[in-house]
Amino acid sequence: MKTSGSNELAYAGYRMEINGHPDIDITQTGRGTPGGEYLRRFWHPVAYESEISAAPFRVRALGEDLVVFRDKSGAVGVLHLHCSHRGTSLEYGRVEEHGIRCCYHGRVFGVDGTVLEMPGERAAERLCKEYKQGAYPAHLFGGMVFAYMGPLELKPPFPMYDKYDIPGMKIAPGPRMPFACNWVQVKENAMDPAHTAILHAWEGRFADEFAQFPEITWVETPVGMAYLAARHVHNKVWVRSTDILSPNIHSLTSVFESGETLKECSPPWMTIWTTPVDDHSCVNFGLCHLREDDHTPNDVRNRAMLAAGGQTEDRPYAERQRIPGDYDAMVSQGSIASHSLEQLGTLDQGVVMFRRQLRQAIKDVQAGRDPHGLIRSSGVVPTYGSDQIVEASSVPGNPDDPEILMAHARRVAEQYLKSPPLQGKKIPPLPPMPAHAFSPAGTRGGGQKAPANADA
Ligand code: FES
Ligand SMILES: [Fe+2]
């Protein structure tokens, strides 16, 4: 039926589909699902070491309830939450010299899930050899506990990326950031730098230069993908790049500050793992990259980062409406976005590339192959998130021409693929985070402001 107007696109509410559906294969996380099996080929952070210091710590990851603990001998365990005897939660258990004791009938499980004790049980000798508690291998890195939840025979080594070991820099555990949405939305956000010029310019928290719309290119890398976003700022051309290390790691790189000096490359300031809790929620685990001489206590830094807002729901609704952040943008897409309803544009190329890689990787796992980004070697693995700043005059052509900027971004991408940015170069350590990055929302004063009617 035609509308009364000549434009079929206008007032189309009644004619448009409202019940869309997500791409199930890429968003499911449970055991036995295509996406869940793919994710189970990798190490995932499930807790910070600081979270397991006082008592057993209950977590949910990849749709499974788990308990994480450190026994008194120092060994770390990641076990199924419910006791294999009759199901009591081990979060109420007692940590022993070796293993954890269930509070109900006192069975003790080692970090590998073997049954060490069955108090009062006459058949204990035999049953301890037959019974077990579900356990996953754990690995400690950067103040975090990682678990490998896949088939034991396919367990890869823990991947060591080049950015963990940069002269003059150190790493420290960052903040925990839970999101009430599917993990794929969080990674898509990371490969969608177009939003930085809108959402984060509204926020007004970042450098003014962020509000300028970049020219963006995306490339596949040996371990995932990356975007390169080029801007002509003042008399320089700034290329910001962020990479995804498959399946669920991305980096945050710097924001341009007036007075920035020229640089060939720069380290990220935070690496972020997005661990699916289940299909409808996930947690970002941050790892901070800091100057060696940064002695701010971790909890102080992390509280400041969270207080800066935008990455959590822990802000008044009115403020979130006025100055929305990544949390609000991603979670309001729905707990799982309806992919079938989307109307994508050219700026979504990164999202499309990410999903294509993910689908292919899932197929590879289904076919019994190692997926893209799974690292079997124990050597140092190159990464591709970096910033480059050059004199605008060194870029051939007019840097205000979008084509010229795009050509520059593509050249830098080629350069990075040939010679990864953090390999074999002198890397300037990051400056300390600027004070305004930690200031209350909206105090920066720069960037594109929220429209006046949003203040009402
Ligand atoms: S339920 Fe755990 S020991 Fe009985
Ligand atoms: Fe963002």
Side-chain angles (χ1 to χ4, degrees):
M1 194 182 81
K2 292 235 175 229
T3 57
S4 54
S6 57
N7 187 351
E8 294 234 359
L9 303 178
Y11 297 116
Y14 185 68
R15 285 177 283 126
M16 284 185 77
E17 185 61 59
I18 52 174
N19 295 314
H21 56 82
D23 184 332
I24 291 294
D25 282 353
I26 62 171
T27 50
Q28 284 183 324
T29 61
R31 210 193 290 185
T33 64
E37 287 305 310
Y38 161 66
L39 291 166
R40 279 167 175 73
R41 297 298 183 273
F42 296 87
W43 289 93
H44 300 282
V46 291
Y48 285 105
E49 281 189 69
S50 58
E51 294 171 327
I52 61 169
S53 56
F57 189 63
R58 177 185 175 151
V59 300
R60 192 168 162 78
L62 304 182
E64 299 184 28
D65 290 317
L66 306 168
V67 66
V68 187
F69 64 97
R70 188 197 293 271
D71 72 16
K72 290 182 181 156
S73 77
V76 170
V78 179
L79 305 186
H80 287 176
L81 180 69
H82 295 285
C83 174
S84 53
H85 177 214
R86 280 170 42 210
T88 290
S89 173
L90 292 175
E91 75 196 282
Y92 302 111
R94 198 169 69 196
V95 169
E96 304 268 310
E97 182 63 26
H98 294 287
I100 186 169
R101 185 181 297 275
C102 177
C103 69
Y104 206 3
H105 310 97
R107 290 191 183 182
V108 177
F109 306 108
V111 295
D112 63 355
T114 52
V115 187
L116 303 178
E117 274 185 51
M118 287 188 182
E121 171 57 64
R122 268 187 261 156
E125 199 176 330
R126 176 172 59 83
L127 294 179
C128 279
K129 289 187 189 124
E130 287 177 16
Y131 289 168
K132 56 189 175 292
Q133 178 71 16
Y136 293 118
H139 180 82
L140 303 181
F141 177 77
M144 288 180 273
V145 181
F146 288 77
Y148 172 75
M149 296 171 66
L152 218 42
E153 65 281 9
L154 297 177
K155 179 167 71 82
F158 184 80
M160 291 303 286
Y161 298 107
D162 55 4
K163 58 181 168 176
Y164 298 154
D165 187 16
I166 292 172
M169 295 196 67
K170 62 182 179 183
I171 53 175
R176 165 185 280 271
M177 295 164 276
F179 293 92
C181 67
N182 186 266
W183 74 280
V184 168
Q185 274 146 256
V186 178
K187 292 299 113 171
E188 289 176 351
N189 170 279
M191 283 298 107
D192 169 23
H195 87 267
T196 60
I198 307 294
L199 182 70
H200 299 314
W202 259 32
E203 287 176 336
R205 277 190 203 97
F206 294 127
D208 297 355
E209 292 78 6
F210 230 46
Q212 189 178 316
F213 219 86
E215 290 301 318
I216 313 158
T217 188
W218 290 266
V219 289
E220 299 205 358
T221 70
V223 284
M225 62 177 287
Y227 76 69
L228 294 95
R231 291 168 165 95
H232 178 203
V233 282
H234 313 306
N235 55 352
K236 304 189 175 87
V237 172
W238 167 38
V239 178
R240 182 178 197 247
S241 79
T242 286
D243 59 349
I244 289 225
L245 308 170
S246 297
N248 60 345
I249 311 174
H250 78 273
S251 52
L252 290 182
T253 43
S254 71
V255 293
F256 188 95
E257 285 294 314
S258 299
E260 277 261 26
T261 49
L262 306 180
K263 55 189 177 187
E264 195 182 3
C265 59
S266 74
W269 65 272
M270 203 190 298
T271 294
I272 294 178
W273 285 257
T274 305
T275 301
V277 172
D278 52 29
D279 294 356
H280 299 275
S281 55
C282 57
V283 175
N284 270 0
F285 285 89
L287 178 76
C288 296
H289 301 262
L290 306 165
R291 289 164 62 115
E292 237 159 27
D293 57 0
D294 184 336
H295 300 300
T296 315
N298 292 341
D299 56 334
V300 171
R301 180 187 321 103
N302 292 339
R303 266 201 307 277
M305 283 179 175
L306 290 177
Q311 300 301 320
T312 72
E313 63 175 338
D314 191 22
R315 291 192 298 149
Y317 181 58
E319 181 188 308
R320 290 165 59 194
Q321 280 197 299
R322 192 167 50 87
I323 315 165
D326 282 309
Y327 185 95
D328 311 299
M330 293 188 289
V331 171
S332 63
Q333 290 176 290
S335 69
I336 308 183
S338 284
H339 300 126
S340 67
L341 296 182
E342 291 171 341
Q343 303 187 0
L344 302 182
T346 57
L347 290 172
D348 298 304
Q349 287 172 70
V351 169
V352 171
M353 186 184 278
F354 175 71
R355 291 179 189 171
R356 193 174 60 229
Q357 276 196 339
L358 187 49
R359 281 189 204 102
Q360 183 55 49
I362 289 169
K363 278 189 196 139
D364 286 340
V365 168
Q366 287 175 319
R369 295 187 290 265
D370 273 352
H372 184 242
L374 185 74
I375 293 144
R376 290 276 172 211
S377 76
S378 51
V380 172
V381 183
T383 61
Y384 300 86
S386 182
D387 269 30
Q388 189 188 82
I389 298 173
V390 298
E391 293 286 6
S393 56
S394 72
V395 172
N398 176 2
D400 289 324
D401 179 343
E403 301 277 322
I404 296 291
L405 268 187
M406 179 63 93
H408 178 68
R410 289 189 177 133
R411 268 195 306 275
V412 176
E414 275 169 35
Q415 207 182 84
Y416 281 8
L417 288 175
K418 266 195 226 130
S419 168
L422 302 183
Q423 302 259 308
K425 297 187 186 73
K426 191 167 162 24
I427 302 166
L430 280 184
M433 278 305 282
H436 66 74
F438 294 145
S439 66
T443 56
R444 164 82 184 171
Q448 179 184 331
K449 292 299 187 190
N453 63 2
D455 290 328

